[in-house]
Amino acid sequence: MNLSERLNDDMKQAMKSQDKFKLTTIRMMRASVKNLEIDLKRPLDDNEVLDILSREIKIRKDSLQEFKKAGRDDLVTGLAAEIEIISQYLPEQLTEEEIQEIVRQTIQELGASSKAEMGKVMSALMPKTKGRADGKLVNQYVQQFLR
């Protein structure tokens, strides 16, 4: 079962169980997927759906930080719940140690030694961590190891 089908099935299940919050969150994800399908005039594959879900989580995490700074605990709770629901559709996330190890290995494989080669390292790393790690965190480790 691909991710789009899983979203549809989970939406139906949320309707049956009358879980309005989960239903609303899944509908937002499906709308994002559907909008891109309409733009591209074709169904999306799992990698493209994964990109959308990752982007949606990133947006919510950024908003979550802003709401925490502003002391808006009412909004923080809702966003945290949305992130939890969306995360169920993503592959298991890498730990920081696993990310560091992948970064070290990639830097060694490429023989990179300076920040000038950061683009080359990042382009090799992103397929390895796609959907399983935050790009911002990967970027931080690359900068740290290329000093």
Side-chain angles (χ1 to χ4, degrees):
M1 174 184 310
N2 69 28
L3 279 174
S4 293
E5 291 169 352
R6 190 169 154 211
L7 281 168
N8 284 333
D9 289 349
D10 288 352
M11 183 184 73
K12 291 174 190 173
Q13 190 62 38
M15 283 181 195
K16 288 178 185 175
S17 65
Q18 296 183 351
D19 185 347
K20 292 185 186 215
F21 187 80
K22 185 172 186 176
L23 178 61
T24 303
T25 303
I26 292 173
R27 280 184 172 158
M28 284 190 286
M29 296 308 100
R30 287 191 63 235
S32 295
V33 170
K34 200 66 168 165
N35 286 338
L36 188 57
E37 284 179 343
I38 290 169
D39 289 346
L40 297 176
K41 295 179 175 73
R42 64 175 173 80
L44 301 180
D45 63 22
D46 275 354
N47 283 332
E48 293 166 320
V49 174
L50 193 64
D51 286 343
I52 291 170
L53 296 178
S54 296
R55 188 175 329 121
E56 293 292 332
I57 280 193
K58 183 180 184 312
I59 290 168
R60 282 164 177 74
K61 283 183 178 179
D62 291 344
S63 297
L64 189 72
Q65 289 176 349
E66 294 300 318
F67 291 145
K68 281 182 181 177
K69 285 180 192 173
R72 294 293 310 264
D73 295 333
D74 55 328
L75 297 174
V76 167
T77 306
L79 277 177
E82 283 182 17
I83 290 170
E84 184 66 33
I85 291 169
I86 299 167
S87 295
Q88 295 171 4
Y89 299 96
L90 297 176
E92 187 176 327
Q93 297 296 297
L94 296 170
T95 64
E96 289 192 26
E97 293 79 25
E98 291 171 326
I99 295 170
Q100 289 175 355
E101 185 58 33
I102 291 171
V103 169
R104 276 192 204 103
Q105 287 175 353
T106 304
I107 289 173
Q108 277 184 330
E109 289 169 10
L110 297 174
S113 58
S114 70
K115 282 194 175 189
E117 297 171 293
M118 190 165 164
K120 181 170 70 170
V121 173
M122 287 301 293
S123 63
L125 270 173
M126 291 319 290
K128 295 177 183 179
T129 61
K130 184 177 185 174
R132 300 181 328 154
D134 181 21
K136 194 182 293 184
L137 186 61
V138 173
N139 188 305
Q140 288 173 354
Y141 286 128
V142 171
Q143 288 181 11
Q144 179 182 332
F145 291 133
L146 286 179
R147 285 190 178 149

